[in-house]
Amino acid sequence: MGLMFNMNKMIIFTDRQTDRQTDRQTDRQTDRRNNCINLFRLIAALQVAYGHMTAHLDIDMPYLMDIIFGYFQGVPIFFLLSGFLVWDSIDRSKNYPTYLKKRFWRIYPELWMGVVIELIIIATIYGIDNVKQFILFAFTQSTILQFWTPEFLRGYGCGTPNGALWTIGVFIQFYIIIWFIKKHLHDKDLLIWSIALGTSIVLGMIPHVLEGYAPEIILKCYEQTIFNYLYLFLIGSFLAEKRLQLLPFIKKYWYIVSAFAVIIYITGIDVPWTSYAVIKGLLCGYGLIGFAYAFPQLNIKTDVSYGLYIYHMTVVNIMITFGFTGKVIYMVIALVVSIVLAWMSTKTIGQWTVKRKNDQLV
């Protein structure tokens, strides 16, 4: 009897050891570092820059280019990827203050450098007609109110010195609340997740459903809140939560998922009254993440996407101010200069802030 008891203990121990080895193998296959997500961050940033440059520099591009970049919409890709990556980042933070410090070092130092450069350029080539508004503008650009532009700057460039930065405020709001959302959604079943995702989609419909009924200023303010885009973040977070079940599938069948996304994109069949497509956003995002894990060898070590996002409109407004519009070569120059600035930012203050962020893990 004692021998059989010991044998049973050995069998149970062996089974548990095998399960742990299987889990570790699955973890390696779906490890956040074993992918080429940086490649799609760059593509998303390029799409945003492409859209702004073609519109504000008055550039006509081939229709096929517009179709391709219309599929790879940068903002929803960034939102979805953020939900996917930050969900796991929470587990690597010992407490809420540490987590917030990591998010701070990821966002603000590079942003502040970009804002300082932007303000110097505006003061140099455009001037400061209203000092109080200029100081307030500097404050809003450096915090979470980047969508605001003072009236005296409406004549500069395209009319908004760096309108692309409106998403920073949305990201910050998401970073603040996702810690608490995870406390309620982690390890929950599909029904609870479905309710959460459904509720977030309804929240995203509000400004469109109430258009013409609620005051325009209220709806515009609502569009700057996390509630208008929470569904995209949660779609990414759901994949992170269920990564051991879902990632192997989309890694193997990323092309099928992407094909369905293309079909939805072409037909336009999707959830109505949302700022960004829900079904297409989910399928496109999951297809890209699946591809990223299937082809980690395509990873880009130096991620300049954030810097490109920060600087491209600064460059565009300089081009507009000096009349460099209407030719493709001007867009090429603007893009090259933006990438160079992004690379310099990433290699200097970006690397320093990464180190500070990693220090929070100790």
Side-chain angles (χ1 to χ4, degrees), residues 56 118-119 122 126-127 130-167 217 220-221 224 313 317:
H56 298 308
E118 176 188 44
L119 294 174
I122 291 174
Y126 185 70
N130 189 315
V131 175
K132 289 183 178 179
Q133 283 196 358
F134 188 75
I135 294 173
L136 183 59
F137 175 70
F139 172 77
T140 58
Q141 289 284 283
S142 304
T143 53
I144 61 171
L145 303 172
Q146 289 82 4
F147 58 87
W148 180 74
T149 300
E151 286 302 318
F152 87 94
L153 284 178
R154 290 298 182 182
Y156 172 66
C158 68
T160 52
N162 205 336
L165 296 185
W166 70 269
T167 57
I217 185 63
K220 285 187 175 180
C221 289
Q224 302 300 321
M313 279 306 297
N317 280 314

Side-chain angles (χ1 to χ4, degrees), residues 32 41 81-90 92-93 95-111 168 171-179 306 353 356-358 360-361:
R32 66 187 181 89
R41 279 191 176 120
L81 284 179
S82 184
F84 174 69
L85 297 172
V86 173
W87 192 262
D88 288 336
S89 177
I90 292 174
R92 298 190 297 276
S93 304
N95 52 44
Y96 188 52
T98 299
Y99 159 76
L100 290 180
K101 288 177 182 177
K102 287 165 56 180
R103 295 298 99 206
F104 169 86
W105 288 112
R106 176 68 181 94
I107 293 293
Y108 278 111
E110 271 197 272
L111 172 66
I168 299 295
F171 279 116
I172 298 302
Q173 293 171 65
F174 170 72
Y175 295 154
I176 291 172
I177 70 170
I178 190 60
W179 177 279
Y306 186 44
T353 56
R356 294 304 301 267
K357 183 169 74 74
N358 290 339
Q360 303 302 318
L361 298 174

Side-chain angles (χ1 to χ4, degrees), residues 21-62:
Q21 290 174 347
T22 301
D23 289 342
R24 284 196 295 269
Q25 183 178 6
T26 304
D27 286 342
R28 285 194 297 271
Q29 292 174 350
T30 60
D31 187 85
R32 66 187 181 89
R33 294 163 295 184
N34 191 32
N35 56 64
C36 65
I37 283 178
N38 282 351
L39 172 64
F40 291 110
R41 279 191 176 120
L42 179 60
I43 291 175
L46 286 172
Q47 188 277 333
V48 174
Y50 172 86
H52 289 154
M53 288 178 181
T54 53
H56 298 308
L57 296 180
D58 195 22
I59 307 295
D60 290 327
M61 296 297 291

